[in-house]
Each structure stands twice: as C-alpha cells, then as structure tokens.
Amino acid sequence: MSFIHLHCHSNFSFLDGASSIKELVSTAASFDMPALAITDHNNVSAAAFFFKEARAAGIKPIQGVEISTPGGYHLVLLAKNPNGYANLCALLTKAYLNSPRGNPIASWDSLTECNDVIALSACRQGEIPKFILKGRFQEAKLAAQRYCRIFGRDSFYLELEAPLLPGSISLNRHLAQLAAELDIKMTASNNVHYHRKQRFQLQDLLTCVRTLTTLNSVHPERHLHGEYYLKNATAMVELFHDYPQAAANTVEIAHRCQPVFSGQKAKIPQVPSLAGSSPIKTLRQLTFSGAQRRYGQVSQKLIQRLNHELKIISALGFCEYFLLVWDVTRYARKENIRFAGRGSAADSVVAYCLGLTEVDAFNRNLLFERFLSMERAEQPDIDLDIDARYRDKVAAYVFDTYGEDNVASVCTFNTYHARSAVRDLGKALEIPETMIDTLAKRLPHVHADQINSVWQNLPELRELDPRPYRQLLHYCGEAAGFPRFPGTHLGGLVVSSEPLTNITPLQQSAKGAIITQFDKDGVESLGLLKLDLLSLRTMSAVEDAAVNIRQKNQHFDYETIPLNDKETFSLLNSGNTIGIFQLESPAQRSLQRKLGAENMEDIVASLALIRPGPIKGNMVDPFIRRRLGQESVSYLHPKLKPILEKTYGVVLFQEQVIEIATAIAGFTPGDADRLRRVMSHARSHEEMAAIGQEFIDKAVDKGIDRTTAETIYSYIMGYASYGFCEAHAAAFANTAYKTAYLTRHHPAEFFAAVLSNYPMGYYSPDTIAQEVRRRGIGLKLPDINISTDKFTVEDTSIRISLAKVHQMDKKSLANILTARQEKAFSSPADFCHRAKASRPVTENLILCGAFDALYPNRRQLLWQLAELVRQDGLFTATQFDQNIPDFSFTEKLDWERDILGMDVRQHYMARFRTMLNKKRIMSTAAAKDSPQASLTVAGKVINPHRPPTRSGRITVFFSLEDEFGLLDVTMFERQYQRFGQLIFGQSHPVLTVTGTWSDNCLILQHAAPLAKN
C-alpha cells in the first residue's frame, strides 16, 4: 500500500466531520488500506468505537487528535503506543481544564511533556502553513524549529495538503523548501472530513450550524470545495505526484504507530478504610455478617449460594467493586440519605446481604448469572437510586474518598434526532422559522432518518406540504445519530485506582462537572469501572412524606410498612393509582383493575407486563386470563412447570429463559445467559440460528424428543425478546407497593411530597392537584406568611409552596423566608420593604392570591404596587384608592392557573359544566356509570402517546380530564387519520369526544374542539 490517511475527522469532530467511524473504516477497508488514523478536534471520543470497528475490519487503528495550540493554531498528534495515548489524554485534560470552557488550548509546556507521539504540522489552520500563506517565512521557520525541539526531528513532519485550493501549489512548494532546509520529513494528507464526496453538502451545512451562519452567508471555516473525502491510495499518490516521498511517508508513519488499547482490565480502587485487608476475606466477612442480619439463621443452602456467588465475584476480580458500592451505601446510611438498589444486581444474594438492594434473591430463587457469570465476564452494574436532593452529596463523597484524579462523571453525546435535526439544519438552510417550528412540534420522538417514513402515517404531518422540506429531510437522514456535543450522564461515575487521564481526557461540562470524553459504552469497553448514582425524585418524595407523617405519628417507619395490607391492594385493584411509583400510567391503571393484585408477586408481574415488548407480543391478556382462572395453564414439558408456574406458563422474566435453557438443554447458567442475550438483543439471524441449533441438540442429548425441543425453543424465542429482568421488577415493586400504601393511608402527606419534588412521575402537577381534590383533600393558595419552600400539610389540606410561583427564583425565595423568620409581614408595604423580592415575583404573588390575607383586592394591590415600591414601605393600606374593582372569580382562577401551573380551587372544566349538561355532554364520572352504548364526553387532553402495537398499526392512547377525574380514551388508526391533528397538531387542550364504552375505556369515534358557548 502506497498511502495511508493520517489526518481524518469523524463526526466526533462535532459539527465538522460528516461521516461516522463505521463509514470511514468500511471505506478504508474497501480500498484495502491496512491502517487509518482518526484525528478529531480536541478529543479522542471516538477512540473506543474506532478501535472496535477497525479491528473488526482488519485495519490497524492509529489514534490521534488535532489539538489547538497557543494562537489558536492546529496541530495533529498521533500516538505511537499506549504511553503516547496516555500523554495525549493528559495533554487534552490540561488544555480543557486550564482554558476557558469551549476553547481548549494546549500550552507549550504541556506539549513538551507529551512524549511517544508523532506530530504533523496540520492543515492551513496550522501555525507553519498560516505563516507561509501570510508571507512570514522566517516565523514559519522558527515555528518548525520549535516543533522539532519539542517532538524530536524524527517525530515531526511537515504536512502537505492536496493542492486543490488557491495558493496550495505555492504553499506546498514553500513547505518542501522548508523541509529541505531544516532536514524535516514531509507527509501528505487530504484532511478528510467525510467518507465520500456526496457528503460535502452535509459537512457544509453542519459547519453553518456550528458557526451560527446560513448557506447564503460567507464564513472562513466553510470549505470551498468537496474534495476532503477519503480517497483511495491511487488517487492520493496522483495528487502528490510532485512529492512522492510525502505520500510514501504516510506508510512509514503508520508503521511506527501501534494500537493504543489491549485487553483493558478494570482498575478498581480499594476502600481506604479497608486498606491492607484482603478484599475477598473482607467481602466474605461482610456478606456473612449481613446474611446473619437478614435471615437470622444461615442455612446450608444459603451458605452454598453465597459461596457460589463469592467464587465468581472473586474469580472475575470484582471484590473491590462490591466493597466500593458497599462503602457508598454505608455513607448514605450514615447521612440518612434514602436510596434503593435496582437492576440485575438484585439477582445477587451477596448484594442483598451487603444492603445494596432490598430484593431477597435467595428466597425469590433469582439467578445470579443474569447479573454476573464467568462465561460473560462483563463488568457488574449496580444502580443506586438516591434521593435527588442528596445525590450530589453522595457523589462528592466518592470524589473526596477516592481522589479527584481518579473519579469523573461519564459523558453522554447529544445526538441528532428528528426534532433537533429539523431545527438546526432547517435554520442553516434558511427555512422560515415558523415552518421549522410547525414541523418540529408535530414530529414524534423518532430518529432523524425516520421522518419520511412517518410523514405519510401521521395526519398532523400530512396536512403540511412536503415539498419545501424535501432537501431538509434528506440532510436530516444523513445526520441521523450524529453527535452534536458532549454532556453529563445523569448518574454515571467512573472510579479508578490510578489517574483517569491514563485512559481518557477529562473536561468540564456546561454544568461544571468534570467528565470523561467517553460515554458509558466507551468507558466500559476501555475497562473503566462505572458506578451509577442516579437521582430519583421518588426517593425524595418518600423521605419528605415520611418526615411529615412522623410529625403526627412518631412511630411510623417506612422500612417496616407491612407488605400485605388489604386496603393497599384494594386501592390498587380500583385502578386509582395516580401518583404511585411505576403504576400510574393509563396502561398500568387498566391492568391493576383487571389483575386483582393480592400480593407482591402480582405487582412484580404487572411491572414486567406493561412494557412495549409484552404489549406488542400480546402477552398481557393471556396472563390476566390465566391469573384469574379464565384460561387453563399448560406446560410443554414437566420440567417447565417449576420455572413458569408463578407466571402462569408465560415466559415473562429474563431469568426464566436462563432457567429453561439450563433445565431443558443442560446449558450452564452462563451459557444460558448468552442465549438470553442473543434473543433479547435481536442479534443476527445466523447467530440466533446457531445458538438455537445448539439448544435443540443439547436438549435431545438430555432425552427431550426433537419436536418438543424445537417447540420449546420457538416458544422462548417468541417471548425472550420481550422478557424483563425479574430482579429489576422486584426492586421497583417494593417502592411501588410502599408508595401505594402511603397514598392509601397518608394521602395528604404523600401528595404534598410529590408536588414538592416535581418533576417526577407520569402526570403534571395540575393532574396531581385534581387527584388531590378528588380524594377530598383541600388545596390552599400560597400565603405570604404561611407557605414555605415546600408544599405543606395543614390538617386535611395541602398548602401550595412559594417555590411554585412563576418566576420565583432561589434568591427571592430565600429573602422572603429569611425576612419572615424575623416577624410576619404585616402588610404588602412591609413585604416590599423587607423581602426585597423582584417586581415580577411580587406581581405574581399578588395575582395568585398570596397576599389575600393581608389585602384581598388583588387588582387594587397590583395597581398600587409601583407606589409601594417607590415609597419603600411607607405607603399604608389606608391610603389605597378603594374604587378599583377586584378581578372576577373566573379571572382569579385564570391567573392562579397561569402562575401556579395548576387549578387550585376549581378545575378548568367546571366552568363549562352547566353548558355541557344542557348539551348532554357527559362528565368523566357520568360516562363511567352510563349504560348508553354511545357516549359524548368533554375534557382536557392528558398525555397522548402512540406506543408500538402488535399489528404495527397506529393506536393512540390518552386521557380526558375534568373536575371528576380521568377517563381513558383509545383512538384506533382509522379515527386517528381523521382526528389525530387535533391532538398532535394544533393546540386544542379541550376536546369533545364521542365513542363507545369498552373495558373501562372510551373507544373514540369522533372528536372536535370544545365549543365553549
């Protein structure tokens, strides 16, 4: 091979490169190139993907980066080996953390410390080419000599670009002269930005997005031609026919560079307080101590299970990981921070004994191999849901304990989906903003390359003329999935026993967190340990509710809530589950009414059932019929009965797939989990066929006849892709049941906590407020002398928080509460004088009724506000003009809803009830009790959505809400094509719907906006 591309940008050169790693690698492979370098701008974020793709394609991956140097010049650096890569990571980290955010500059000192790299003088943005283009030849020479001193003469090359721009021939000639004068080698590049020429238009468009310009604007960063694509070796050699050695040197450089990754192993730190002790001995001691606490008497069977798990944990080298998570949970308990472990970690009895989860995997007979196995040998993943208010406090403990050099947040990449692509690219194409906004708001949450496919299916889109959007949709399809910028993972931390900069650069995110340059998949593939500390507002609500309950019942203990409370199960059976963790969606409410849950197992099953897979696979109704005894349960083989009995013969959990493969085909638990993974991740047909044949052959060897074996395999294959992790469902079920208990026995305290910790859950605060009123709990307007920074309980009512007032900022709220601690506000004038709140905040407090107890005429108080502020509290109530009439009752309700985001005293629909009754349009309550075959109901549209269905046809589910509650509505495709635009297109918050009542749901036949007169 006579040429290797050493200067190549992927789409991880954010909004500059216009091809993915896969496209670049496959193109290079099609040219039989033995190697390829990736040199993205100021990051190595593609390194893990690049290494994997290149190795699969038989190409040597050369990892590099194009950095920015003092003066804003570019410089290409290629890692010779793993040490060189580590130096690049350290260099980038210093550049990011020692420069203004968004403008990383590598200092000369840090460049001097960067060994085991090869440097190229870069494109026209490089320091040397820029000096030459400006005719400053002596400065170019001095710069070249500086780079030779920094990197060594044998590791610095002058880069010649293809001579396709004005002045390029002269530039290359001067570079060649400089190379001869200073005895520096040259190399050639095409400064690749896309894998094929046709992507030039997309690259140009992305540049416009990055530079905040449009296609009709001139900008120096826009390329003048479309030749920066990955050309074959013959084409590149021809371009550099005047400098054949420059082309040949690319092969020499590629030969000098070696892959930077190899067999990465997790570098797990030891818990400082346990330093010097044996990790396995300590883990064993803590585990068996926890087993004694959890179970009282430790049986021989339990000892065998714990020894089995500990053997695998130790063999895989993860003892330190379990101890680290134990250390984090120990700290959370010490600080009284509520948390809950979840995910497949709940399949582990060791995790249960250590107090990492609350799921008893031993008595539930959960399979440890679903979590961790010798065959899979992947890193364990223990997720901790933490009270959202204190998640950062727990994370700070990890940073402080294990060292800031060894801990960082995992990054995420914000990628182009349909709406973001339409907005960004549409603006660059100069499509009118109103047209962009119209299209973006009507698009569902789909990938950017799916817009064309959904256009004809969605009536809200069919109303639009597609012709003005065709070019935009083409580019959206090309940019689908491209990363736009890095962000911070919601909870992931990486923790290492050595400095992270040996394996990843670190940088500051927009929110101030120090993040890696790799996302969760990248850090795991590089052997970095990931610890998930997730913010869960439900934990915050539970803690707030528990505190409020203990004020009236000091003996209340959330942890010891009885798990067999009949009133709680009765509440679940009613389907009135709004506000209950994981059980409040329309589908769950419907399921709870049908299922008739009697125990925790029913809740676990219900959490696994309402998922896209089981619904699409038509598993829900058969499960319910069998659960209620309306359909017989049969098993294809007697060995399946103990596995499937608790789910009535339905393969519902992923763990069951593993058990079936073990019992029927004699798979080891680890191999059985491999079967599950192949099925659940929809691998290639070849892979599925191979493992299927293995299953059948092994089953036959165990005495199962071939026909039965084939039937069993087809059976589990049909369900496995829909299966849910039982351990995860069990972990969530515990919280679901306990929040249901709180809803039933302490509704005021629980709903006050839910409203205080919004956003959380499925419904808006407005719908939660309606549920509060439906339960007979009063809602009270904010009061400037009573309300706090949370929703509070007053007897059987809930007082709205001052924090809920629109435009209330933290500073204003703190000022108000601090001033009130001194003494209550005696008048509006006193408030203005002492609270020092901003005028918009004060106006909103007046309009939502917070001053009603001090001065009930809101309009008059608002009118006099300017004088109050001017007089700085010297104005008194007796000086008010008494002739200004107050707002009407309806006006007050409108202001309250606008400012508080909820109807407080009366639901919006109540004002139309008299008119609706005259028109014989029913309330939601009347509709549920009506014997009529056809019903017409009016209400606010709540949470419309289009989940996947078994048939693939569009079905829309939403609720109508009025002052009596929610009524669930189903709209099938035929009606959706007629009326869908009323819901997903124009904004019609209130609809009149006519339909038939079926199975606690209104089947829509007709819909129209509510005529309000």
Side-chain angles (χ1 to χ4, degrees):
M1 177 57 63
S2 54
F3 185 87
I4 304 294
H5 284 283
L6 300 176
H7 186 170
C8 188
H9 296 278
S10 77
N11 53 11
F12 281 92
S13 285
F14 303 109
L15 301 179
D16 188 22
S19 290
S20 67
I21 289 292
K22 191 177 186 67
E23 290 170 329
L24 291 166
V25 169
S26 62
T27 301
S30 71
F31 296 153
D32 293 325
M33 289 185 169
L36 178 69
I38 294 296
T39 55
D40 285 314
H41 292 301
N42 293 312
N43 77 75
V44 294
S45 294
F49 309 122
F50 177 44
F51 182 80
K52 180 181 178 182
E53 292 291 334
R55 279 301 177 89
I59 288 177
K60 179 165 74 171
I62 301 171
Q63 187 56 55
V65 64
E66 186 168 40
I67 63 165
S68 300
T69 63
Y73 303 114
H74 291 186
L75 182 70
V76 174
L77 299 177
L78 304 174
K80 294 180 183 179
N81 49 42
N83 186 58
Y85 171 75
N87 287 330
L88 288 182
C89 292
L91 176 73
L92 287 167
T93 299
K94 292 175 184 176
Y96 274 100
L97 300 185
N98 296 329
S99 305
R101 205 186 76 81
N103 186 34
I105 300 294
S107 69
W108 297 121
D109 287 341
S110 59
L111 282 167
T112 302
E113 298 168 357
C114 195
N115 302 315
D116 285 333
V117 300
I118 292 173
L120 314 181
S121 60
C123 58
R124 285 184 167 219
Q125 299 304 311
E127 183 179 10
I128 297 169
K130 272 204 168 185
F131 280 142
I132 290 174
L133 288 169
K134 293 178 180 180
R136 295 158 62 178
F137 302 111
Q138 183 60 28
E139 290 170 275
K141 178 179 177 180
L142 292 173
Q145 290 172 326
R146 184 196 324 118
Y147 289 123
C148 285
R149 289 194 301 272
I150 291 173
F151 300 106
R153 194 172 302 276
D154 66 334
S155 293
F156 175 65
Y157 290 74
L158 291 173
E159 179 181 335
L160 277 61
E161 271 197 278
L164 299 171
L165 285 173
S168 292
I169 294 175
S170 174
L171 172 60
N172 285 348
R173 185 172 65 250
H174 282 97
L175 284 169
Q177 291 171 355
L178 182 61
E181 180 181 353
L182 298 179
D183 191 24
I184 301 173
K185 291 182 179 181
M186 296 185 297
T187 189
S189 87
N190 200 40
N191 191 14
V192 172
H193 279 70
Y194 31 92
H195 73 294
R196 57 188 175 91
K197 189 171 185 175
Q198 292 83 349
R199 282 287 174 86
F200 166 59
Q201 290 89 347
L202 177 63
Q203 194 277 334
D204 190 35
L205 200 60
L206 293 173
T207 302
C208 290
V209 174
R210 187 180 78 254
T211 57
L212 303 178
T213 55
T214 64
L215 286 182
N216 289 324
S217 305
V218 176
H219 195 280
E221 293 189 33
R222 291 180 65 186
H223 294 168
L224 297 179
H225 60 68
E227 295 297 321
Y228 294 106
Y229 64 95
L230 201 146
K231 298 176 179 179
N232 62 38
T234 302
M236 291 303 298
V237 170
E238 176 60 27
L239 282 171
F240 290 95
H241 60 84
D242 290 334
Y243 307 99
Q245 192 57 46
N249 283 344
T250 63
V251 180
E252 174 193 293
I253 294 170
H255 182 71
R256 295 176 62 188
C257 295
Q258 300 305 314
V260 299
F261 302 131
S262 61
Q264 306 298 319
K265 291 186 178 180
K267 300 173 179 63
I268 309 173
Q270 192 169 19
V271 177
S273 62
L274 304 176
S277 62
S278 164
I280 181 58
K281 287 184 179 179
T282 303
L283 181 60
R284 178 178 293 278
Q285 179 184 350
L286 290 171
T287 297
F288 278 90
S289 174
Q292 190 73 42
R293 185 178 64 256
R294 290 284 199 183
Y295 296 100
Q297 185 173 357
V298 181
S299 67
Q300 190 61 37
K301 188 176 179 182
L302 176 58
I303 292 173
Q304 290 174 352
R305 170 64 183 258
L306 291 174
N307 284 335
H308 170 70
E309 291 191 16
L310 288 168
K311 181 179 178 181
I312 294 175
I313 293 168
S314 178
L316 293 175
F318 293 134
C319 293
E320 291 90 341
Y321 175 73
F322 277 79
L323 292 172
L324 188 152
V325 181
W326 168 82
D327 179 47
V328 172
T329 59
R330 177 180 61 169
Y331 170 77
R333 285 193 177 91
K334 182 172 74 74
E335 296 296 318
N336 293 316
I337 297 173
R338 191 171 294 280
F339 71 91
R342 63 173 169 91
S344 61
D347 280 304
S348 169
V349 183
V350 169
Y352 178 64
C353 292
L354 292 175
L356 312 185
T357 74
E358 291 302 313
V359 177
D360 184 353
F362 179 68
N363 285 320
R364 292 192 64 85
N365 293 315
L366 297 179
L367 284 170
F368 179 69
E369 281 74 12
R370 169 62 184 85
F371 170 54
L372 199 61
S373 72
M374 293 297 297
E375 291 84 351
R376 192 166 77 244
E378 292 181 352
Q379 290 187 17
D381 188 12
I382 302 176
D383 297 337
L384 298 178
D385 287 326
I386 300 172
D387 183 330
R389 296 166 298 189
Y390 305 112
R391 183 267 170 193
D392 289 348
K393 183 177 181 179
V394 176
Y397 169 78
V398 178
F399 276 90
D400 293 342
T401 303
Y402 297 94
E404 292 189 355
D405 290 340
N406 299 358
V407 184
S409 294
V410 178
C411 92
T412 59
F413 297 113
N414 184 290
T415 59
Y416 272 125
H417 286 69
R419 293 180 180 180
S420 58
V422 162
R423 291 192 182 279
D424 275 8
L425 303 185
K427 187 175 181 179
L429 286 167
E430 297 187 340
I431 296 174
E433 188 173 344
T434 54
M435 290 179 61
I436 296 173
D437 194 56
T438 298
L439 174 58
K441 286 182 176 179
R442 297 184 182 206
L443 283 170
H445 295 286
V446 296
H447 296 294
D449 56 358
Q450 293 179 305
I451 302 175
N452 275 318
S453 64
V454 301
W455 194 291
Q456 293 306 313
N457 293 327
L458 306 183
E460 62 269 27
L461 290 177
R462 284 205 311 271
E463 287 187 330
L464 305 176
D465 182 357
R467 290 173 295 181
Y469 297 106
R470 281 175 183 163
Q471 187 182 34
L472 170 61
L473 300 192
H474 168 74
Y475 292 130
C476 286
E478 288 192 322
F482 276 27
R484 301 166 69 201
F485 54 83
T488 307
H489 189 279
L490 288 175
L493 296 180
V494 286
V495 188
S496 175
S497 60
E498 61 181 49
L500 287 170
T501 51
N502 289 344
I503 195 72
T504 175
L506 303 178
Q507 64 186 75
Q508 190 176 48
S509 71
K511 295 182 178 179
I514 301 301
I515 60 174
T516 65
Q517 285 194 348
F518 297 109
D519 66 2
K520 64 182 184 65
D521 296 325
V523 299
E524 288 176 2
S525 67
L526 295 178
L528 289 171
L529 174 74
K530 183 166 69 74
L531 176 65
D532 283 318
L533 307 179
L534 304 167
S535 296
L536 185 65
R537 290 179 179 270
T538 298
M539 292 290 103
S540 309
V542 164
E543 181 61 26
D544 282 352
V547 169
N548 290 337
I549 294 166
R550 282 195 291 269
Q551 290 179 357
K552 65 178 184 181
N553 177 10
Q554 61 180 341
H555 301 296
F556 173 78
D557 182 6
Y558 176 83
E559 309 303 333
T560 60
I561 284 175
L563 300 181
N564 59 353
D565 182 66
K566 290 184 178 180
E567 292 183 39
T568 299
F569 283 107
S570 177
L571 170 66
L572 293 175
N573 296 164
S574 73
N576 294 320
T577 56
I578 292 174
I580 298 174
F581 181 65
Q582 293 286 313
L583 299 181
E584 59 178 338
S585 71
Q588 275 290 359
R589 288 189 284 107
S590 175
L591 175 63
Q592 296 308 317
R593 283 192 292 266
K594 298 174 185 177
L595 189 63
E598 297 176 337
N599 51 54
M600 287 296 293
E601 290 303 314
D602 290 333
I603 300 177
V604 174
S606 66
L607 287 170
L609 279 168
I610 302 302
R611 304 283 167 180
I615 294 171
K616 197 172 181 180
N618 195 31
M619 293 169 59
V620 179
D621 289 337
F623 183 93
I624 294 172
R625 288 194 297 269
R626 294 177 186 186
R627 160 75 177 80
L628 299 178
Q630 298 168 356
E631 181 178 297
S632 62
V633 180
S634 60
Y635 305 96
L636 293 171
H637 191 278
K639 289 185 177 181
L640 296 179
K641 183 176 180 180
I643 300 170
L644 301 179
E645 193 167 21
K646 68 180 177 182
T647 54
Y648 309 99
V650 174
V651 180
L652 186 58
F653 301 118
Q654 294 168 352
E655 288 88 344
Q656 290 173 314
V657 175
I658 300 174
E659 289 184 273
I660 291 171
T662 302
I664 299 296
F667 278 33
T668 66
D671 280 336
D673 187 57
R674 178 169 58 90
L675 169 70
R676 175 198 65 81
R677 289 166 65 83
V678 168
M679 291 179 170
S680 62
H681 289 82
R683 306 296 175 97
S684 69
H685 291 295
E686 293 81 5
E687 192 174 0
M688 291 189 70
I691 200 166
Q693 192 60 51
E694 181 184 355
F695 176 92
I696 294 166
D697 290 344
K698 286 189 172 183
V700 171
D701 290 343
K702 286 199 67 178
I704 310 289
D705 71 85
R706 184 166 293 275
T707 300
T708 301
E710 290 173 347
T711 303
I712 291 173
Y713 179 73
S714 66
Y715 179 68
I716 63 173
M717 186 171 66
Y719 286 107
S721 61
Y722 306 140
F724 194 63
C725 176
E726 181 180 358
H728 187 58
F732 272 2
N734 184 62
T735 304
Y737 170 85
K738 288 184 176 180
T739 54
Y741 181 93
L742 295 178
T743 304
R744 173 61 186 87
H745 294 283
H746 307 282
E749 289 81 4
F750 179 68
F751 282 112
V754 168
L755 288 167
S756 291
N757 288 283
Y758 191 81
M760 60 174 285
Y762 190 84
Y763 293 104
S764 70
D766 192 28
T767 296
I768 297 296
Q770 161 58 24
E771 178 67 9
V772 167
R773 287 193 300 270
R774 191 190 68 78
R775 290 173 179 271
I777 302 168
L779 271 177
K780 293 185 176 182
L781 292 169
D783 187 295
I784 202 62
N785 276 322
I786 300 175
S787 296
T788 70
D789 58 345
K790 294 181 180 180
F791 285 72
T792 53
V793 177
E794 297 179 12
D795 297 324
T796 59
S797 297
I798 295 174
R799 174 76 67 179
I800 294 175
S801 164
L802 290 176
K804 188 64 180 170
V805 176
H806 180 57
Q807 294 185 305
M808 179 69 75
D809 56 277
K810 291 182 179 180
K811 182 179 179 181
S812 294
L813 181 56
N815 288 345
I816 293 170
L817 297 179
T818 300
R820 201 177 72 194
Q821 279 183 338
E822 299 174 4
K823 62 177 180 178
F825 298 114
S826 59
S827 67
D830 181 37
F831 173 86
C832 292
H833 175 61
R834 291 196 292 125
K836 306 297 183 185
S838 68
R839 180 160 181 170
V841 167
T842 306
E843 288 177 350
N844 286 339
L845 286 167
I846 294 170
L847 288 168
C848 74
F851 285 99
D852 282 3
L854 296 178
Y855 200 90
N857 189 327
R858 299 182 193 177
R859 191 199 296 269
Q860 181 165 295
L861 184 55
L862 191 68
W863 185 261
Q864 298 292 343
L865 179 59
E867 188 65 20
L868 279 172
V869 174
R870 187 178 68 80
Q871 296 281 351
D872 193 23
L874 298 179
F875 207 81
T876 63
T878 56
Q879 295 170 283
F880 284 161
D881 185 347
Q882 300 297 321
N883 296 324
I884 300 175
D886 201 355
F887 296 113
S888 68
F889 179 68
T890 299
E891 287 174 326
K892 287 184 177 181
L893 294 180
D894 288 340
W895 279 117
E896 290 163 13
R897 184 177 64 255
D898 289 346
I899 290 169
L900 300 173
M902 61 175 70
D903 288 317
V904 179
R905 295 185 288 171
Q906 183 187 83
H907 193 280
Y908 178 73
M909 290 300 300
R911 66 182 65 182
F912 307 113
R913 186 56 54 200
T914 300
M915 177 269 291
L916 292 172
N917 288 338
K918 289 180 180 178
K919 293 184 176 183
R920 297 186 178 180
I921 297 175
M922 294 182 177
S923 68
T924 58
K928 292 175 184 178
D929 296 331
S930 174
Q932 297 179 27
S934 180
L935 310 172
T936 299
V937 188
K940 292 170 61 177
V941 175
I942 304 296
N943 290 2
H945 60 290
R946 295 166 287 209
T949 60
R950 186 186 185 194
S951 66
R953 297 174 67 84
I954 296 174
T955 303
V956 179
F957 300 93
F958 63 93
S959 300
L960 288 177
E961 180 188 273
D962 64 11
E963 67 270 35
F964 299 101
L966 294 177
L967 180 77
D968 295 329
V969 181
T970 299
M971 178 192 292
F972 292 112
E973 181 152 348
R974 185 175 178 183
Q975 283 69 37
Y976 168 67
Q977 298 299 341
R978 293 179 60 197
F979 307 113
Q981 74 278 6
L982 296 178
I983 297 173
F984 297 104
Q986 305 167 37
S987 177
H988 291 292
V990 180
L991 291 183
T992 300
V993 173
T994 299
T996 56
W997 187 248
S998 174
D999 198 18
N1000 287 303
C1001 180
L1002 188 67
I1003 308 302
L1004 184 147
Q1005 301 297 331
H1006 185 273
L1010 175 67
K1012 298 176 183 178
N1013 50 47

